[in-house]
């Protein structure tokens, strides 16, 4: 009897605890309320959670090394904050996987689209291409709590709401431009920018590699470009340049994030660094002085000399050999000291040179006064007439209106660094525009893509890059990815507020816009 009396209270207490637990309301999840940027095309929620655990297995379709690399990227991306050393395994079936990456045989969601099916026991990511899988991996990361972006171990739980996401980009070309000519930035800084833009599903980094203030890429056949022309920057700093090996490293790193590098050599204007390095590129055969100011429009190649085109051919050839990407940007803007009758044949000849090296020409919309080659792309930044001239010649347009997409514009009159010659561009203004209706005469069918451009006359380090691009860059990324009908500021400002937690977790500097209720 004593034994029964001792056991009975314990059993009773166990049943009481079990009853209380079973009566506790289940915590619901809503995948549709996840703060994903860019906003996915369709989201369906099923109200439960997948939980990432130390024993979670990431599997990928066997026999594909590219998928293995993406699975490895995901595991490495999750490791710092979770501390989990997640195992990877090839597999032809998802049965034993917790996270499964697979290619489908259909192009239903295009080359960069993906489907994400999340149940309590499985995260299944499918796409028609590895690029689509990589974009989907960014969504998986954003579905985890913001502390996933910390660089040191922290506590979970690491939950992902269940449901289904089907997603694809609105525009094929979604880009950021980084000016490394006015101020030079290291290879590591450029790689960090690549990681930042890949997080928001951008697929192009446009590098402005030459200008009046500096030449930033080694050209072995013209070594003084970097030895002399790369030796300074705005304000008189020491400048710098990328060796060909370093540039190849940047290209390779970008490719691992499914980002194409677009090299820009600006010409015939914005060329003082080259003119100071080689006197024969000047009409008077005298080298100019190095320049460290910020004025524009005063420099020009001598467009009637054969040596000028030999020089350009050598430059395009060497850079193109380092970069498998399909594009070469010839600049062409603000050539105020080049006579129109010299500028037009120059643009025509340079297009021929670029095409001869199997690259597609991109130029600022100024080049539209020339005869554009088939497949030449014009980047619209200010002049509506030029943009319409490009369209009339059949050119596709990259939309980078300075009043919306120039990331070097100040947020307001008190913000630093930055300029404001085009406009003050707050976070709401950078988001609230539609490329397909913004410029008269340019419709969606004319547009190749969208680019946010960061000129660096006043930007000197990575912290300042971060301040200028966040929170505006995610908005530009969403404009390029998400259909206009699904975008609105009230919804976006709630999601970007949540991303403020991610910026904090990753130690990223950002402008705390008063337009956003930061969490």
């Amino acid at each position: 009897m004593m034994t029964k009396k001792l056991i009975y209270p314990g059993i009773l207490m166990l049943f009481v605890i079990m009853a209380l637990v079973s009566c506790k309301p289940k915590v619901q999840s809503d995948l549709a309320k996840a703060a994903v940027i860019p906003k996915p095309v369709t989201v369906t929620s099923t109200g439960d959670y997948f939980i990432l655990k130390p024993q979670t297995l990431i599997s990928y379709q066997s026999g594909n090394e590219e998928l293995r690399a993406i699975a490895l990227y995901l595991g490495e991306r999750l490791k710092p904050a979770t501390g989990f050393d997640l195992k990877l395994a090839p597999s032809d079936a998802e049965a034993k996987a917790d996270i499964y990456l697979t290619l489908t045989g259909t192009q239903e969601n295009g080359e960069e689209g993906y489907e994400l099916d999340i149940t309590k026991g499985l995260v299944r990511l499918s796409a028609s291409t590895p690029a689509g899988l990589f974009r989907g991996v960014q969504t998986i990361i954003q579905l985890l709590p913001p502390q996933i972006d910390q660089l040191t171990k922290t506590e979970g739980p690491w939950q992902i709401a269940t449901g289904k996401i089907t997603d694809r980009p609105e525009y094929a070309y979604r880009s950021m431009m980084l000016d490394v000519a006015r101020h030079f930035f290291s290879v590591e800084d450029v790689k960090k920018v690549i990681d930042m833009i890949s997080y928001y599903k951008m697929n192009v980094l446009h590098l402005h590699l030459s200008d009046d203030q500096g030449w930033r890429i080694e050209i072995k056949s013209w070594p003084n470009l970097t030895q002399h022309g790369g030796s300074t920057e705005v304000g008189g700093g020491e400048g710098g340049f990328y060796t060909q090996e370093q540039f190849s490293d940047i290209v390779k790193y970008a490719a691992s994030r499914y980002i194409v590098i677009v090299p820009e050599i600006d010409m015939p204007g914005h060329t003082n660094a080259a003119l100071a390095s080689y006197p024969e590129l000047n009409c008077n055969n005298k080298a100019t002085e190095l320049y460290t100011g910020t004025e524009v429009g005063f420099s020009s190649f001598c467009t009637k000399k054969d040596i000028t085109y030999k020089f350009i051919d050598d430059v395009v050839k060497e850079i193109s050999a380092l970069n498998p990407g399909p594009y070469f940007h010839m600049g062409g803007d603000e050539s105020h000291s080049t006579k129109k009758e010299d500028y037009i044949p120059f643009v025509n000849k340079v297009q021929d040179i670029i095409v001869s090296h199997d690259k597609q020409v991109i130029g600022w919309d100024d080049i539209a006064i020339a005869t554009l080659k088939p497949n030449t792309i014009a980047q619209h930044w200010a002049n509506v007439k030029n943009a319409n001239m490009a369209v009339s010649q059949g050119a596709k347009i990259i939309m980078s209106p300075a009043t919306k997409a120039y990331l070097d514009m100040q947020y307001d009159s008190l913000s630093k660094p930055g300029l404001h010659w085009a406009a003050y561009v707050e976070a709401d203004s950078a988001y609230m525009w539609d490329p397909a209706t913004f410029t008269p005469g340019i419709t969606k069918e004319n547009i190749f893509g969208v680019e946010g451009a960061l000129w660096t006359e006043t930007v000197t380090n990575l912290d300042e890059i971060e301040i200028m691009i966040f929170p505006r860059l995610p908005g530009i990324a969403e404009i390029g990815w998400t259909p206009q009908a699904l975008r609105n500021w009230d919804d976006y400002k709630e999601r970007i507020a949540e991303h403020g937690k991610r910026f904090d977790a990753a130690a990223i500097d950002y402008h705390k816009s008063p337009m956003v209720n930061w969490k």
Side-chain angles (χ1 to χ4, degrees):
M1 295 296 291
M2 284 292 291
T3 304
K4 290 182 180 179
K5 289 181 180 178
L6 287 171
I7 292 174
Y8 180 76
I11 294 174
L12 179 62
M13 183 61 69
L14 179 61
F15 279 116
V16 170
I17 291 170
M18 290 175 66
L20 289 173
V21 170
S22 65
C23 293
K24 184 179 179 181
K26 184 178 179 181
V27 177
Q28 296 294 308
S29 73
D30 189 349
L31 187 63
K33 291 183 179 179
V36 177
I37 300 175
K39 186 174 185 175
V41 175
T42 65
V43 183
T44 304
S45 180
T46 54
D48 213 325
Y49 286 105
F50 170 90
I51 301 178
L52 187 72
K53 300 174 182 177
Q55 63 270 29
T56 293
L57 175 66
I58 303 175
S59 290
Y60 53 92
Q61 198 170 2
S62 60
N64 193 314
E65 282 300 305
E66 206 168 349
L67 267 61
R68 181 184 181 279
I70 295 170
L72 181 62
Y73 166 88
L74 176 58
E76 291 179 344
R77 183 67 174 75
L78 300 178
K79 185 175 181 178
T82 65
F84 301 162
D85 192 8
L86 299 179
K87 287 184 168 53
L88 311 180
S91 176
D92 288 321
E94 61 195 45
K96 295 182 180 180
D98 299 302
I99 299 175
Y100 187 61
L101 312 182
T102 183
L103 293 176
T104 63
T106 66
Q107 286 279 340
E108 184 178 352
N109 293 312
E111 291 190 0
E112 291 183 275
Y114 63 92
E115 284 192 1
L116 189 56
D117 289 285
I118 307 161
T119 65
K120 192 173 181 180
L122 176 69
V123 174
R124 184 181 190 274
L125 175 62
S126 60
S128 62
T129 67
L133 289 178
F134 188 83
R135 307 296 174 226
V137 161
Q138 305 311 314
T139 298
I140 291 173
I141 295 167
Q142 290 191 24
L143 291 174
L144 287 159
Q147 60 265 33
I148 195 65
D149 287 323
Q150 285 192 196
L151 301 178
T152 55
K153 185 178 177 181
T154 187
E155 294 301 316
W158 304 108
Q159 297 177 325
I160 299 176
T162 58
K164 182 174 181 177
I165 292 175
T166 304
D167 208 5
R168 70 191 69 85
E170 185 77 348
Y171 292 104
Y173 187 104
R174 305 173 310 281
S175 176
M176 175 183 158
M177 188 279 288
L178 178 63
D179 170 14
V180 298
R182 270 53 177 273
H183 282 100
F184 180 68
F185 298 94
S186 69
V187 171
E188 289 308 310
D189 286 346
V190 174
K191 287 181 177 179
K192 287 176 181 175
V193 170
I194 288 169
D195 284 334
M196 291 170 189
I197 71 174
S198 71
Y199 193 54
Y200 293 103
K201 300 185 177 71
M202 284 184 156
N203 61 357
V204 176
L205 179 64
H206 166 190
L207 290 176
H208 184 76
L209 291 166
S210 69
D211 214 296
D212 293 316
Q213 300 85 354
W215 186 282
R216 306 303 183 203
I217 184 167
E218 177 188 23
I219 304 298
K220 292 184 183 295
S221 57
W222 297 78
N224 210 39
L225 288 171
T226 48
Q227 291 172 10
H228 185 62
S231 64
T232 191
E233 61 185 14
V234 167
E238 65 180 11
F241 65 93
Y242 308 116
T243 66
Q244 292 198 357
E245 292 74 19
Q246 288 173 324
F247 184 75
S248 294
D249 183 41
I250 290 171
V251 169
K252 183 179 179 181
Y253 189 85
S256 74
R257 272 69 175 151
Y258 295 88
I259 288 173
V260 170
I261 296 294
V262 173
E264 179 187 354
I265 299 298
D266 209 345
M267 51 186 152
H270 289 280
T271 47
N272 190 75
L275 299 173
S277 302
Y278 286 97
E280 59 266 42
L281 300 177
N282 296 276
C283 289
N284 63 4
N285 293 313
K286 295 181 179 178
T288 61
E289 296 295 322
L290 291 172
Y291 182 69
T292 61
T294 59
E295 294 299 317
V296 300
F298 63 87
S299 60
S300 180
F301 283 143
C302 192
T303 62
K304 295 181 179 179
K305 295 175 74 171
D306 290 342
I307 190 65
T308 297
Y309 300 100
K310 172 66 166 63
F311 168 81
I312 293 168
D313 185 69
D314 288 342
V315 168
V316 174
K317 177 174 64 177
E318 290 195 33
I319 295 175
S320 296
L322 303 171
N323 182 28
Y327 310 109
F328 194 100
H329 202 302
M330 65 166 292
D333 62 314
E334 298 176 319
S335 296
H336 304 318
S337 64
T338 313
K339 293 179 181 178
K340 184 176 180 180
E341 58 266 31
D342 295 331
Y343 179 87
I344 290 174
F346 174 87
V347 170
N348 292 338
K349 288 181 181 180
V350 172
Q351 288 182 92
D352 286 336
I353 290 170
I354 293 172
V355 171
S356 75
H357 293 288
D358 298 320
K359 299 299 181 184
Q360 189 171 354
V361 180
I362 302 177
W364 298 103
D365 60 27
D366 310 52
I367 68 171
I369 66 171
T371 303
L372 300 185
K373 287 282 185 185
N375 298 319
T376 288
I377 297 166
Q379 187 162 358
H380 175 42
W381 65 284
N383 192 305
V384 175
K385 182 179 178 181
N386 285 344
N388 279 278
M389 287 175 66
V391 168
S392 71
Q393 296 189 62
K396 290 292 186 180
I397 302 295
I398 297 169
M399 291 294 289
S400 299
T403 56
K404 295 291 185 180
Y406 267 29
L407 300 171
D408 59 311
M409 293 297 105
Q410 291 172 291
Y411 293 93
D412 55 42
S413 62
L414 300 178
S415 65
K416 295 179 181 181
L419 303 169
H420 57 266
W421 59 264
Y424 292 112
V425 184
E426 250 297 354
D428 57 343
S429 180
Y431 181 81
M432 295 171 66
W433 63 285
D434 178 5
T437 60
F438 184 79
T439 301
I442 298 178
T443 63
K444 190 172 186 296
E445 67 179 10
N446 308 129
I447 297 171
F448 186 46
V450 180
E451 180 175 290
L454 180 60
W455 304 100
T456 62
E457 288 95 333
T458 66
V459 178
T460 65
N461 56 55
L462 183 63
D463 290 338
E464 291 175 347
I465 289 175
E466 292 171 352
I467 285 283
M468 299 309 285
I469 68 176
F470 292 116
R472 294 182 291 197
L473 180 84
I476 299 293
E478 182 154 303
I479 290 168
W481 182 278
T482 305
Q484 176 66 24
L486 298 180
R487 295 198 303 109
N488 71 81
W489 169 250
D490 288 338
D491 169 65
Y492 174 76
K493 72 179 181 180
E494 293 300 317
R495 286 179 288 122
I496 194 63
E498 287 293 327
H499 278 242
K501 298 176 184 177
R502 297 183 181 272
F503 303 152
D504 290 335
I508 290 174
D509 291 312
Y510 62 102
H511 168 67
K512 291 184 174 62
S513 169
M515 308 296 169
V516 176
N517 182 23
W518 301 101
K519 305 297 182 182

